[in-house]
Amino acid sequence: HTAYRRQRQMCIRDSVRGVRSGHVYAKAVATHMGKTMQLWQISITDDDDKLVSSCKLTTLSLSRKK
């Protein structure tokens, strides 16, 4: 029996600069991995390793009521 879960997410994003050419790279680091809540810090950089954007992501998973 698989438990169904409700999920909620919230992301707070701050843009630092734009990128018109080249590549962007994202790195996500879990800062908290609880039973129902996860906190992530996401950094997006360009080819020169300059910060383009930063995001704090919170996820919440709750058991569905029967």
Side-chain angles (χ1 to χ4, degrees):
H1 180 286
T2 303
Y4 294 99
R5 299 176 79 78
R6 292 183 294 161
Q7 294 188 348
R8 300 286 185 253
Q9 299 174 348
M10 183 177 74
C11 183
I12 300 172
R13 181 180 59 90
D14 294 313
S15 294
V16 177
R17 72 180 79 246
V19 175
R20 296 195 184 277
S21 64
H23 297 89
V24 292
Y25 306 92
K27 180 179 180 181
V29 177
T31 57
H32 175 75
M33 296 290 285
K35 193 171 186 176
T36 59
M37 186 172 64
Q38 297 177 358
L39 301 176
W40 294 84
Q41 177 64 44
I42 304 165
S43 298
I44 300 171
T45 57
D46 63 9
D47 284 328
D48 297 325
D49 204 31
K50 291 183 181 176
L51 185 65
V52 173
S53 184
S54 180
C55 178
K56 292 181 182 179
L57 174 68
T58 303
T59 63
L60 181 62
S61 298
L62 302 173
S63 297
R64 202 174 274 239
K65 291 183 180 180
K66 294 182 179 184

